Amino acid sequence: MLLHLCRERSALLLLSEAVQEGFIEQSGDGYHFSHDKVQSAFISLIDESEGARLHLLIGEAYLSAHEQGGEQSNIYRAAVHLSCAPDVLSE
């Protein structure tokens, strides 16, 4: 449980910084890259295993939001991100 909370806080801090820098935008209860080129640049800078770990953090954050009474769409967003991290989930 403590590890999950640390991961969630870490992900939220990184997300907050990305929003402040204009790389990520908030829309409703979700987030998206500010532009397709920003997303492409980000993806090109990380390796596959780091991308999987990021998907895991994001998926866990959406799952936590859903469990705390968030919108139903959070569970679907969690599933999408967690499905992008099968190797990390099995560790």
Side-chain angles (χ1 to χ4, degrees), residues 69-80:
E71 292 188 22
Q72 183 67 25
S73 62
N74 287 334
I75 194 70
Y76 301 112
R77 290 181 178 131
V80 167

Side-chain angles (χ1 to χ4, degrees), residues 27-42:
S27 61
D29 69 337
Y31 295 86
H32 63 272
F33 284 96
S34 58
H35 194 278
D36 290 344
K37 297 283 186 183
V38 173
Q39 182 178 7
S40 295
F42 178 78

Side-chain angles (χ1 to χ4, degrees), residues 16 18 21 26 28 30 34 47 49 61 63 65 69 72-73 78 80 91:
S16 175
E21 294 294 328
Q26 186 172 7
S34 58
D47 63 26
S49 64
L63 190 57
Q72 183 67 25
S73 62
V80 167
E91 290 178 355

Side-chain angles (χ1 to χ4, degrees), residues 77-88:
R77 290 181 178 131
V80 167
H81 284 283
L82 294 174
S83 71
C84 293
D87 294 336
V88 179

Side-chain angles (χ1 to χ4, degrees), residues 8-82:
E8 185 176 329
R9 286 188 185 137
S10 177
L12 291 175
L13 178 62
L14 291 171
L15 186 58
S16 175
E17 290 175 4
V19 168
Q20 288 176 358
E21 294 294 328
F23 299 124
I24 302 284
E25 296 175 348
Q26 186 172 7
S27 61
D29 69 337
Y31 295 86
H32 63 272
F33 284 96
S34 58
H35 194 278
D36 290 344
K37 297 283 186 183
V38 173
Q39 182 178 7
S40 295
F42 178 78
I43 291 170
S44 73
L45 294 173
I46 60 172
D47 63 26
E48 190 174 324
S49 64
E50 182 64 18
R53 285 191 293 276
L54 288 172
H55 277 292
L56 177 62
L57 286 172
I58 295 166
E60 287 176 340
Y62 275 125
L63 190 57
S64 177
H66 173 73
E67 291 170 347
Q68 295 174 13
E71 292 188 22
Q72 183 67 25
S73 62
N74 287 334
I75 194 70
Y76 301 112
R77 290 181 178 131
V80 167
H81 284 283
L82 294 174

